[in-house]
Structures are given as C-alpha cells and as structure tokens.
Amino acid sequence: APPPPPPPGLSLKMLSFGALPAVEVSILGSFNRVSSSSSSRSNGGGEASAGEAGEYELLQVFSVGSGGGQAAMVLAGPWTGPSAAAAASGTCGEDVSDGSAAVRCDVQFQTVRLELSTEDRAASLEMLQAAGLAEYLEPTPLKARPTYIDLEYMSRRLRVHRGESGALYVLSRLAPGDGGASAVPFAAA
C-alpha cells in the first residue's frame, strides 16, 4: 500500500507569531520541556509573594516537503505559577486531581528557534538549508501576548492541561529510564 499522505501544511510564520518566514510545514508531533526554579514575583499590588518560575519550551516537530528530514520549532519563555516547581517535578498529582480548581500557570513566549534532530542531524540541516531556515538555529525574539495553561491533573507520568484556547492536552512524561529530557530527539539549547 502507498504511504499515507502528509498532514496538511501550516505556515511557520503563523506558528511562530510572525517571527519566522512563511514556509509551509507539516507538523509531525510535539514535546514540552519544562525547568523550574524558585523566585519571588509581584502579586500585582507591589508586594512580593512566594512563587515559582521556570522555563517552558514548546517543541513542534515538523518536516518541509518530502525529503525526509525533521526539525523542531521551539517556542520558549518563562512560566510562573503557584505550583510551577511541583508541576515540573511531577509531584503534584494529588494536588490537582482531587476535583479542586485547576492550577493556572502563566506563560510568556519570548523567543523562537529551530532545533536539529539528534537522530539525523545532517538530514535535518539539509532540509532547513533548502527551505532557507538554517539561520534560525539561534533564538529569535518574538512578540506574543501572555497566555496560560490550567493544570487539571499531574502525576509523575502524566499531565493534563487546558490551554487558553480551551483545547485539552494530555502529555506523558518521558521516564528517567527512557532517557528523560534527553530522550526528546532534538538537541536542547
């Protein structure tokens, strides 16, 4: 049987809030990379309150044309929330699975970059060069309005969250035995 047709194309310009060129790509999958560190933040009244902060990266895996190469578009920026550290460590399952209100985490994407596949860096780079995208391997500033995710369930293996658009996302954590974050087949910056 012939291979299935590629998914419909989307514009990198649209996906990157206008920061990348209008190259049509096929989205093949996605990953999230989350780091967390303690911080203080303003509660809006000028007072500092204990909070959590970290870096949130949304990786959209894509291909251009039918050459076989893959790369990832990485939207990156800070996220804050009352349970960011617990969410990043996957330890708050009981906190957001008991029917209580979801935990809101604010996200502000600030940069976009492209990452090469660790499985075939040469094919990945060749695809980006042919599409005129190789110059975007370094972070490029972007202007995106702040958004949020509502964590509805979190455990060591699973996260369920709802984005501002209302879309529901179910994500599984790569286990340490699977290589954890290093199992994401795209090089971390």
Side-chain angles (χ1 to χ4, degrees), residues 86-172:
S89 66
T91 59
C92 64
E94 57 279 356
D95 295 339
V96 295
S97 64
D98 62 2
S100 60
V103 175
R104 176 154 295 171
C105 295
D106 298 309
V107 178
Q108 176 65 63
F109 293 121
Q110 297 176 337
T111 63
V112 63
R113 70 181 182 280
L114 301 179
E115 287 187 0
L116 302 176
S117 169
T118 57
E119 295 174 354
D120 192 343
R121 295 178 67 80
S124 190
L125 183 58
E126 183 180 315
M127 177 193 72
L128 293 179
Q129 289 171 331
L133 296 170
E135 68 185 89
Y136 296 100
L137 293 171
E138 296 297 322
T140 300
L142 60 83
K143 293 183 191 245
R145 66 178 186 74
T147 189
Y148 62 84
I149 61 172
D150 287 333
L151 298 173
E152 296 188 1
Y153 177 82
M154 176 76 67
S155 71
R156 292 193 182 279
R157 297 289 295 168
L158 188 69
R159 179 174 90 203
V160 178
H161 74 256
R162 190 171 303 277
E164 183 178 10
S165 68
L168 186 67
Y169 299 88
V170 179
L171 299 98
S172 61

Side-chain angles (χ1 to χ4, degrees), residues 33 57 59 74 113 115-116 118 121 181-182 184-189:
R33 280 195 293 235
E57 293 184 326
L59 289 78
V74 182
R113 70 181 182 280
E115 287 187 0
L116 302 176
T118 57
R121 295 178 67 80
S182 65
V184 174
F186 297 89

Side-chain angles (χ1 to χ4, degrees), residues 19-86:
L20 297 177
V23 173
E24 187 173 299
V25 300
S26 294
I27 300 298
L28 307 172
S30 67
F31 295 93
N32 287 195
R33 280 195 293 235
V34 180
S35 66
S36 182
S37 61
S38 295
S39 69
S40 291
R41 58 186 173 94
S42 171
N43 64 9
E47 302 171 25
S49 63
E52 296 297 328
E55 183 76 6
Y56 185 90
E57 293 184 326
L58 171 62
L59 289 78
Q60 296 290 322
V61 181
F62 69 90
S63 64
V64 179
S66 58
Q70 296 181 6
M73 180 193 74
V74 182
L75 294 169
W79 73 313
T80 58
S83 297

